[in-house]
Amino acid sequence: MKTEIRFSGLGGQGIITAAVILGRAAALYAGKHVVQTQSYGPEARGGASASAVIISDEPIYYPKVTNPDIYAIMSEEAYKKYGSSAPSDALMLIDPGFVSSRPSCKYYEVPATASAKEKLGKTVFANVVMLGGILEATKVVSYEALEKAVLDSVPKGTEEANKKALEIGREIIRSQQK
Amino acid sequence: MKTEIRFSGLGGQGIITAAVILGRAAALYAGKHVVQTQSYGPEARGGASASAVIISDEPIYYPKVTNPDIYAIMSEEAYKKYGSSAPSDALMLIDPGFVSSRPSCKYYEVPATASAKEKLGKTVFANVVMLGGILEATKVVSYEALEKAVLDSVPKGTEEANKKALEIGREIIRSQQK
């Protein structure tokens, strides 16, 4: 069992942190083998950001993400670069505030940035809203594992807001599953 | 021109953050191609932490770190796992508060944890002290690039302490080069 998750968007949206947190959840709190990667070219200066997590029950010998199973996409540019070629059996979470295209695979609209701003006062929690969405949509790790990894990783004093951010993301998915 | 840097130590020492910051410096502020990786197995729960950065003038097609040129090692266990097999032309920075072994390649002792505690009051800055040491010992990125990436990445209110941490690391290397 092997799952590949690709996060992409703009610099400043916490794309790398999201992948680090998910990798941490899977490795430290779910006992999985994990490779977590960021690749940047000089064009990263223009604002593109992408990261990936491979989660496996077995040791991972080839660390390059080839065909993600799950995409979290937070900019239209990132959609064009990563999302538009997603296979039809992939699952995609997109922030509709930043992404106007829609894929042919299954997807959820997760207004992570708008929800974080509206309910928590700061867009900085958008990446954790997205993680809550991934949790609820995929169960790739347990809630307990992800919560621990979030709390490990965020600045002191922001724990409660981050727990709420996770819950907001879960609720967005639940409301689309009804 | 391609440089591979391996950070290793214990969970909580900021091993992953150090690699993320260095990767960011090289990609966003030095115009390089970068792949930045964490690999964890289930044994990570026991406290081992490792991360890596590949910095290149050309696109990177094989993202697995094979033979690091530069090692920053912050635990004896990490030394045994990564450092003891370092090639003779590698360069190693070790925190002597945590690593008792010494390599056959060129190395510097960087008491990052003790210096951070003593001069900044908190061991949490040890990873940035280590980054300052890498900067001074290798010039793999410019001071300006690294400082920008540090300031991008650290919690608000800690900017000055982190700038001091970089300078502490640089001075430790300079004192051993005299």
Side-chain angles (χ1 to χ4, degrees):
Chain A
M1 184 66 195
K2 186 174 161 191
T3 305
E4 303 187 355
I5 302 112
R6 162 77 68 192
F7 296 83
S8 59
L10 301 167
Q13 288 179 320
I15 296 295
I16 294 174
T17 304
V20 168
I21 290 174
L22 184 59
R24 190 174 175 92
L28 297 197
Y29 302 119
K32 305 287 189 179
H33 294 266
V34 172
V35 173
Q36 194 278 307
T37 313
Q38 283 76 243
S39 299
Y40 323 72
E43 76 282 4
R45 188 69 180 271
S49 182
S51 59
V53 188
I54 305 173
I55 299 174
S56 176
D57 291 324
E58 304 295 328
I60 299 161
Y61 296 108
Y62 184 68
K64 194 161 186 167
V65 172
T66 47
N67 283 304
D69 307 289
I70 303 165
Y71 296 75
I73 302 186
M74 297 180 71
S75 80
E76 180 66 17
E77 182 191 350
Y79 179 86
K80 293 207 166 87
K81 184 159 182 190
Y82 298 106
S84 61
S85 58
S88 61
D89 61 348
L91 176 68
M92 202 174 291
L93 281 70
I94 55 183
D95 187 330
F98 290 86
V99 182
S100 54
S101 298
R102 295 293 177 268
S104 54
C105 67
K106 181 172 179 182
Y107 69 95
Y108 293 101
E109 296 185 2
V110 181
T113 310
S115 302
K117 178 74 179 164
E118 183 190 330
K119 297 186 179 164
L120 300 168
K122 286 190 180 173
T123 61
V124 73
F125 299 108
N127 61 341
V128 177
V129 173
M130 199 54 103
L131 282 174
I134 288 172
L135 172 69
E136 192 65 30
T138 71
K139 317 282 188 192
V140 65
V141 293
S142 71
Y143 178 75
E144 291 69 28
L146 185 58
E147 185 187 55
K148 277 185 197 168
V150 167
L151 297 181
D152 281 350
S153 305
V154 300
K156 277 188 186 160
T158 69
E159 292 88 349
E160 283 309 308
N162 276 292
K163 284 166 76 169
K164 284 182 193 159
L166 274 184
E167 197 48 49
I168 290 166
R170 299 180 79 186
E171 185 50 39
I172 288 169
I173 297 297
R174 283 190 207 113
S175 71
Q176 293 177 51
Q177 286 178 330
K178 275 169 196 166
Chain B
M1 185 64 195
K2 185 173 163 194
T3 305
E4 302 187 356
I5 302 112
R6 161 78 68 191
F7 295 84
S8 59
L10 300 168
Q13 288 180 319
I15 296 296
I16 294 174
T17 305
V20 169
I21 290 174
L22 184 58
R24 192 174 171 92
L28 297 197
Y29 302 119
K32 303 290 187 175
H33 294 267
V34 171
V35 172
Q36 194 277 305
T37 313
Q38 284 75 246
S39 300
Y40 324 72
E43 77 283 3
R45 190 69 181 272
S49 182
S51 58
V53 188
I54 306 173
I55 299 173
S56 175
D57 291 326
E58 305 294 329
I60 298 161
Y61 297 107
Y62 184 68
K64 192 159 186 168
V65 171
T66 46
N67 283 304
D69 307 290
I70 303 165
Y71 296 76
I73 301 185
M74 296 180 71
S75 80
E76 180 67 16
E77 184 191 348
Y79 179 87
K80 293 205 167 91
K81 185 161 180 188
Y82 298 106
S84 60
S85 57
S88 61
D89 60 349
L91 176 67
M92 200 174 291
L93 280 70
I94 55 183
D95 186 329
F98 291 87
V99 183
S100 54
S101 297
R102 296 294 177 268
S104 53
C105 67
K106 182 172 178 181
Y107 69 94
Y108 294 100
E109 296 185 2
V110 181
T113 310
S115 301
K117 179 72 178 165
E118 182 189 333
K119 296 187 178 161
L120 300 168
K122 287 189 179 173
T123 59
V124 74
F125 300 109
N127 61 341
V128 177
V129 173
M130 200 53 100
L131 281 174
I134 288 172
L135 172 71
E136 191 66 30
T138 71
K139 315 283 187 194
V140 65
V141 292
S142 71
Y143 178 75
E144 290 70 26
L146 185 58
E147 185 187 53
K148 279 185 195 167
V150 167
L151 297 181
D152 281 350
S153 305
V154 299
K156 278 189 185 159
T158 69
E159 292 88 347
E160 283 309 308
N162 275 292
K163 285 166 76 170
K164 282 181 194 162
L166 273 184
E167 196 48 48
I168 290 166
R170 299 179 79 186
E171 184 52 36
I172 288 168
I173 297 297
R174 282 190 207 113
S175 71
Q176 292 177 51
Q177 287 177 331
K178 273 169 198 166

